Amino acid sequence: MLEKTYSPAEVEAKLYERWEESGAFACDVASNAAPYAIMMPPPNVTGSLHMGHALTFTVQDILVRYNRMTGRDALWQPGTDHAGIATQMVVERNLAAEGVDRRDLGREAFVDKVWQWKAESGGTIVNQLRRLGASPDWARERFTMDDGLSAAVRKVFVQLHKEGLIYRDKRLVNWDPKFQSAISDLEVESKEIDGNLWHFRYPVEGEDGRFIVVATTRPETMLGDTGVAVHPDDERYAGLVGKYAILPLVGRRIPIVADAYADPEQGSGAVKMTPAHDFNDFEVGKRCGLEVINILDAHARLNDNVPEAYRGLDRFEARKRVVADLEALDLVEKIEPHRHAVPHGDRSGVPLEPWLTDQWYADAATLAKPAIEAVETGKTVFVPKNWEKTYFEWMRNIQPWCISRQLWWGHQIPAWYGPDGTVFVEETEGAAAAAAEAHFGKAVDLRRDEDVLDTWFSSALWPFSTLGWPEQTPELARYYPGDVLVTGFDIIFFWVARMMMMGLHFMKDVPFRTVYIHALVRDAKGQKMSKSKNNVIDPLDLIGRYGTDALRFTLAAMAAQGRDIKLAEGRVEGYRNFATKIWNAARFCQMNGCAADPAFEPAACTETVNRWIVGEVRKTSVAVGEAIEAYKFNEAAAALYQFFWGSFCDWYLEFTKPILQTPEGEPEHPAAAETRAATAWALNRALHLLHPILPYITEELWASFGEEADTLLLRRPWPDLPATLVDPAVDAEMDWLVRLISEVRSIRSEMNVPPSAQIPLVLTGASDGTRDRIGRYRDLILRLARLSDVGTGASAPAGAVQGVLDEATLLLPIADVIDVAQERARLAKDIAKADGEIAKIDKKLSNEAFMAKAPEEVVEENRERRAEEQQKRDKLAAALARLNEAG
């Protein structure tokens, strides 16, 4: 007998171990079944499970479990990413706590420390994925620094370099002075800072007393100015274009140039140009031929390209000194308080500097062309489709990809420099030495490039490097391209696009046929989760309190395409109650002798109620399968919830209680055996359908109810049920019964009729068919609708409220069981309250100031609240109208 209550904590660890030991997660490269492949977005080796992970891995696991059950040979390829800067930061912080600096250790010893940390602590998130019930092929787990993946990285780098698609160049990068490395745009966090806007007067050469005024938020960079730009159509400066300004404090002549970047409406309309320290200025400088002067070192201190008085100063100290010196020269026109966005390193927390430096770049524009065409022609499709626009906008305006990082942890760039700086790019040091000897005519000492590759470079190869490429393995032939990539919108540019580029270039095919972009998980108010707001929800905490299945079902049920998830703990608790309902229903079935009957044929059922539930199972199987295949996980969850809690528990089990529960001393109902078998069959098919979302409770119950209980439910096939199991006549009959009882219950609830009150039901205008149904289901109607009698009549009883069911009018005389006047007053009061709430929301939504300032999620929340209040108001108004009609 099942325990009285379901205990997720006791079940989950036991079942997961059984699943993993069974080998049920493994793909079979020799299988004749159609392959199905998902490449797991590799979480950072430093990571721990957060709510975004919980959503994306739940969705992937649903897809993989479903496709296994439908007979596909499923590979869910797991692994983790070395996460260059994040991992190096963790290890450096650990060393700092011991009083050790990585530079004291040296590169080799430091990298050894990182590997040691990875072995000891780097598997946290992998174990947490197991707690989530994730079922990838763990035996195939990969790490982006594995030997095989490293070989793939070297081969790709060398080949792209030989093709001219990787090159070294001096350009601006986002420079982190704390980590002393270039970082990607993804690692830039924009913060609003209260600062100043300084307006400086630059003297115009040869025109005493004439100045051109420029404004800046970074006064220290003026020491690197090489021009001033004005708009070509700005008449105020027409006579100055082509002339020179004298750069204060430096004395350098800088040209005044015309460029459309200068906005006549902003500030003075004249913009100082510092091409070495501003991305926009860099582009203007290229167009206008301006000199590029780097005035900062790697620590963001001023270098020798500035006057001696400022050399060696920290950038912020230099800012104060520059402003003071310009004030002393009376060249500061005004200083305005100014709140503006300043880019910061998301991990270091320090302001970043656009910095001119030599880096390695990939020709992303060339690589992007086939990747753009692949989506244009439908080789890869985005779900939802609107994300294709985002993809195209970025890909069609793509910039050179800076792929080098000044770190020690990562894939070291396979480039060696000769004595004269000649670079030799090869897969091995031996090959580089041979190339150098051929070049110089003798053996020479080589120095390897110290930089490592951007983490996204190795991640871009993930769909094929994990399958053994560059070796032509059976796995590569079978599982590339993958079927779907599941990921968030925030890495469309950084990962999805780059996998598309690399896959098409090296495999001559897209890496996946579909890209499913899932929603963002927000808090209950629709706010983005962040530590600063103290609104972060820990998925492991929810799992500990409510069980893994409850969290998984919540995320699936709320994963509507194109809508972010507002996650409230109450929703998780609600779906924990759903799991409890499943357990209790199974226990009820067990207590009433419902056991799997190998001889049961669903098509042979004779009882209408059993034929109905068999058809409902078939319809649910189709609906859930179609929803999962269309990535409409919320619709799959809704269909399952409606079937199990509604059709199976609320109706079928209630309808069949008189059959299953024979009063003592009376003979068993003739349909008892068929009903027990039908109940067990329906329950077991429901466990199949629920399994991809609720794997634990369904597996546990299968062990007690399954026709082959010693076979894991995980390995069972998806129910393939013939359409003939659905009988339209039976559906119509049971639908009528459900709607009748539901309408009576609804009226009783609206009118506050006490649950214990037994009242009669009269149907007027009933057809012969309705009269026949009343006769057949009289006992069920009386019991489930709490009625004293049910019959048909020609006229309405006094004091009766009305409802409609098809051709018949339902009449419930309630005047003797409720205070009609009191109910009218209550309903009128509730309507007025709802009207007040609607008016308040309407006032807010019609307020232009509110609409202009409010975040989109707040506006949406107000619209949803208005819709809820309107729905409530309409229901109350309908109830009041019924009561008034009753007289």
Side-chain angles (χ1 to χ4, degrees):
M1 177 65 68
L2 291 172
E3 295 292 333
K4 189 172 183 180
T5 57
Y6 173 60
S7 175
E10 292 177 16
V11 167
E12 290 173 3
K14 171 193 73 175
L15 279 182
Y16 197 91
E17 185 177 355
R18 187 179 169 205
W19 285 334
E20 199 166 352
E21 288 178 352
S22 75
F25 298 167
C27 65
D28 180 4
V29 75
S31 170
N32 291 323
Y36 180 83
I38 295 180
M39 294 293 156
M40 175 186 290
N44 287 355
V45 70
T46 58
S48 60
L49 195 72
H50 57 63
M51 202 53 75
H53 287 135
L55 173 61
T56 189
F57 292 123
T58 293
V59 165
Q60 290 171 69
D61 195 54
I62 291 169
L63 288 168
V64 168
R65 287 178 183 267
Y66 168 76
N67 278 280
R68 282 196 195 107
M69 295 177 82
T70 57
R72 304 281 293 272
D73 168 34
L75 166 63
W76 186 11
Q77 173 63 56
T80 50
D81 191 280
H82 66 280
I85 198 166
T87 304
Q88 180 158 324
M89 185 178 73
V90 168
V91 177
E92 283 198 56
R93 194 164 52 226
N94 293 344
L95 289 171
E98 302 170 10
V100 178
D101 186 279
R102 70 176 166 96
R103 295 167 188 82
D104 298 331
L105 285 177
R107 182 175 193 137
E108 189 174 337
F110 175 76
V111 170
D112 286 344
K113 287 283 187 183
V114 182
W115 278 109
Q116 182 182 333
W117 175 87
K118 191 262 180 186
E120 294 172 356
S121 309
T124 298
I125 195 163
V126 168
N127 292 327
Q128 291 172 341
L129 288 179
R130 286 177 163 89
R131 284 201 68 188
L132 191 65
S135 62
D137 190 343
W138 288 117
R140 296 186 51 83
E141 185 181 348
R142 298 289 184 266
F143 178 54
T144 50
M145 292 279 285
D146 284 348
D147 288 344
L149 276 68
S150 295
V153 167
R154 290 192 297 272
K155 183 174 181 64
V156 165
F157 186 97
V158 171
Q159 183 173 326
L160 289 177
H161 182 265
K162 292 186 186 304
E163 294 172 2
L165 295 172
I166 281 181
Y167 56 92
R168 196 156 170 80
D169 195 9
K170 188 182 286 290
R171 293 177 60 90
L172 283 190
V173 296
N174 294 304
W175 184 260
D176 190 316
K178 180 176 179 179
F179 289 131
Q180 294 182 48
S181 175
I183 67 171
S184 75
D185 291 340
L186 185 66
E187 296 160 324
V188 176
E189 180 183 4
S190 187
K191 294 184 180 179
E192 290 289 322
I193 300 294
D194 288 320
N196 291 315
L197 189 62
W198 286 271
H199 295 256
F200 297 150
R201 292 196 290 265
Y202 286 9
V204 176
E205 184 184 45
E207 300 188 31
D208 284 349
R210 188 176 186 187
F211 301 91
I212 186 165
V213 177
V214 299
T216 182
T217 58
R218 298 192 299 157
E220 69 281 4
T221 64
M222 61 86 62
L223 299 172
D225 284 0
T226 60
V228 174
V230 297
H231 196 278
D233 300 330
D234 194 333
E235 295 179 358
R236 294 173 294 175
Y237 300 112
L240 286 179
V241 174
K243 294 186 177 182
Y244 289 83
I246 302 300
L247 183 63
L249 307 180
V250 179
R252 185 163 56 242
R253 293 170 76 241
I254 58 175
I256 300 170
V257 299
D259 192 276
Y261 169 68
D263 184 352
E265 304 299 320
Q266 291 290 322
S268 67
V271 186
K272 63 186 283 298
M273 289 289 111
T274 319
H277 298 287
D278 184 277
F279 289 101
N280 292 313
D281 294 4
F282 183 77
E283 296 303 322
V284 174
K286 282 199 299 184
R287 290 194 293 269
C288 298
L290 300 180
E291 190 179 359
V292 180
I293 300 175
N294 183 9
I295 64 165
L296 295 175
D297 66 13
H299 298 275
R301 296 186 296 244
L302 272 65
N303 62 22
D304 290 347
N305 290 329
V306 300
E308 189 172 349
Y310 307 101
R311 292 173 189 171
L313 293 180
D314 173 78
R315 52 185 165 161
F316 300 116
E317 180 60 32
R319 177 175 299 178
K320 297 175 188 174
R321 184 82 61 88
V322 164
V323 172
D325 290 349
L326 288 171
E327 284 179 327
L329 294 170
D330 195 26
L331 293 176
V332 178
E333 180 161 292
K334 61 180 176 178
I335 302 172
E336 298 175 311
H338 183 64
R339 186 168 179 81
H340 62 295
V342 176
H344 285 64
D346 67 346
R347 291 187 170 87
S348 67
V350 303
L352 302 175
E353 286 292 340
W355 199 49
L356 189 67
T357 179
D358 290 311
Q359 300 285 346
W360 288 94
Y361 290 89
D363 181 356
T366 298
L367 291 168
K369 288 175 184 173
I372 293 169
E373 183 188 13
V375 176
E376 287 175 335
T377 58
K379 290 179 182 175
T380 293
V381 297
F382 280 73
V383 178
K385 193 173 179 62
N386 62 286
W387 288 112
E388 290 181 5
K389 181 181 177 184
T390 303
Y391 173 84
F392 287 138
E393 283 177 357
W394 189 73
M395 292 289 271
R396 288 168 180 158
N397 296 286
I398 199 166
Q399 297 298 307
W401 173 16
C402 178
I403 58 175
S404 49
R405 299 289 181 267
Q406 289 64 55
L407 304 171
W408 284 356
W409 173 244
H411 294 281
Q412 192 170 355
I413 288 174
W416 286 262
Y417 299 93
D420 62 355
T422 303
V423 64
F424 301 94
V425 175
E426 300 290 348
E427 291 183 46
T428 65
E429 186 171 6
E437 186 171 352
H439 175 79
F440 291 109
K442 61 178 181 179
V444 296
D445 291 333
L446 296 177
R447 174 182 59 84
R448 186 167 184 179
D449 196 309
E450 293 188 356
D451 289 355
V452 299
L453 285 163
D454 176 14
T455 300
W456 297 105
F457 191 92
S458 50
S459 299
L461 317 183
W462 188 253
F464 53 94
S465 65
T466 50
L467 299 175
W469 187 92
E471 300 298 323
Q472 296 305 305
T473 64
E475 291 85 354
L476 190 65
R478 181 164 175 78
Y479 301 113
Y480 188 95
D483 288 81
V484 61
L485 174 76
V486 177
T487 190
F489 69 89
D490 52 338
I491 55 174
I492 290 175
F493 318 133
F494 302 100
W495 193 45
V496 178
R498 285 160 181 171
M499 283 190 288
M500 290 286 286
M501 289 188 248
M502 294 300 193
L504 283 159
H505 194 81
F506 289 94
M507 296 296 297
K508 309 306 177 190
D509 199 353
V510 294
F512 22 74
R513 301 299 185 200
T514 301
V515 179
Y516 172 70
I517 302 294
H518 62 68
L520 185 69
V521 185
R522 298 178 178 272
D523 72 6
K525 296 179 180 178
Q527 299 181 94
K528 192 172 181 178
M529 292 186 197
S530 69
K531 292 179 182 177
S532 63
K533 293 178 182 174
N534 197 30
N535 66 343
V536 174
I537 303 172
D538 185 346
L540 295 169
D541 183 40
L542 294 178
I543 286 172
R545 273 184 286 168
Y546 302 111
T548 298
D549 286 335
L551 177 61
R552 287 172 61 112
F553 202 91
T554 303
L555 293 171
M558 301 182 77
Q561 289 182 13
R563 293 191 66 183
D564 286 345
I565 292 173
K566 294 181 183 178
L567 184 65
E569 187 173 328
R571 294 296 294 266
V572 185
E573 184 177 12
Y575 288 120
R576 187 274 310 275
N577 296 343
F578 178 50
T580 300
K581 184 80 170 179
I582 295 168
W583 186 266
N584 290 342
R587 197 165 180 269
F588 170 85
C589 294
Q590 192 178 57
M591 291 170 69
N592 284 278
C594 303
D597 181 355
F600 176 74
E601 286 290 342
C605 287
T606 57
E607 287 293 306
T608 299
V609 70
N610 293 333
R611 291 162 65 197
W612 172 70
I613 198 62
V614 162
E616 290 299 295
V617 169
R618 199 274 171 180
K619 286 190 284 187
T620 305
S621 174
V622 172
V624 173
E626 288 178 348
I628 291 176
E629 289 175 8
Y631 308 102
K632 296 180 178 178
F633 303 99
N634 61 312
E635 293 184 9
L640 288 165
Y641 189 92
Q642 189 281 326
F643 166 75
F644 200 92
W645 196 305
S647 301
F648 186 71
C649 292
D650 286 354
W651 298 113
Y652 178 70
L653 293 184
E654 290 298 324
F655 289 156
T656 57
K657 274 181 181 177
I659 301 174
L660 297 176
Q661 298 177 333
T662 305
E664 190 173 346
E666 293 187 15
E668 184 173 79
H669 194 286
E674 176 188 292
T675 302
R676 289 193 190 100
T679 303
W681 180 88
L683 174 63
N684 282 338
R685 300 294 83 68
L687 296 179
H688 282 71
L689 303 180
L690 289 159
H691 179 76
I693 306 180
L694 300 172
Y696 286 114
I697 193 169
T698 53
E699 190 74 77
E700 182 72 0
L701 290 173
W702 177 257
S704 296
F705 285 91
E707 293 94 345
E708 299 175 22
D710 56 341
T711 302
L712 287 169
L713 180 58
L714 174 66
R715 291 187 178 276
R716 293 280 298 176
W718 188 258
D720 182 16
L721 307 173
T724 52
L725 292 181
V726 178
D727 185 330
V730 165
D731 277 0
E733 182 109 334
M734 299 309 295
D735 176 64
W736 176 88
L737 180 59
V738 167
R739 286 188 293 118
L740 172 65
I741 295 168
S742 297
E743 179 66 7
V744 173
R745 287 175 173 176
S746 177
I747 293 171
R748 291 180 63 118
S749 174
E750 287 173 5
M751 301 300 148
N752 265 351
V753 174
S756 59
Q758 299 276 312
I759 55 177
L761 169 65
V762 177
L763 287 85
T764 61
S767 65
D768 291 343
T770 294
R771 290 191 182 90
D772 289 343
R773 285 170 172 170
I774 291 171
R776 281 197 298 277
Y777 299 110
R778 178 183 177 81
D779 290 345
L780 280 177
I781 294 168
L782 294 178
R783 178 168 64 88
L784 295 179
R786 298 193 189 97
L787 299 173
S788 60
D789 192 17
V790 57
T792 58
S795 59
V801 291
Q802 297 184 11
V804 176
L805 183 70
D806 300 336
E807 84 292 347
T809 299
L810 309 183
L811 298 160
L812 285 163
I814 60 170
D816 294 338
V817 293
I818 67 167
D819 184 326
V820 174
Q822 183 178 319
E823 279 306 304
R824 281 200 188 101
R826 177 185 69 82
L827 289 167
K829 183 180 178 182
D830 288 347
I831 290 169
K833 185 179 178 182
D835 284 338
E837 288 298 317
I838 291 168
K840 277 199 296 187
I841 298 169
D842 282 346
K843 185 178 180 182
K844 194 179 286 187
L845 292 175
S846 62
N847 184 316
E848 290 183 8
F850 170 79
M851 295 297 285
K853 293 179 181 178
E856 186 179 335
E857 59 265 24
V858 174
V859 173
E860 182 61 26
E861 184 180 353
N862 275 274
R863 286 176 177 148
E864 288 176 1
R865 277 184 49 232
R866 194 206 183 284
E868 289 168 5
E869 288 295 332
Q870 186 65 52
Q871 189 176 28
K872 185 197 303 182
R873 195 242 183 245
D874 291 345
K875 190 173 180 181
L876 290 165
L880 183 58
R882 281 183 179 180
L883 204 56
N884 288 334
E885 286 172 5

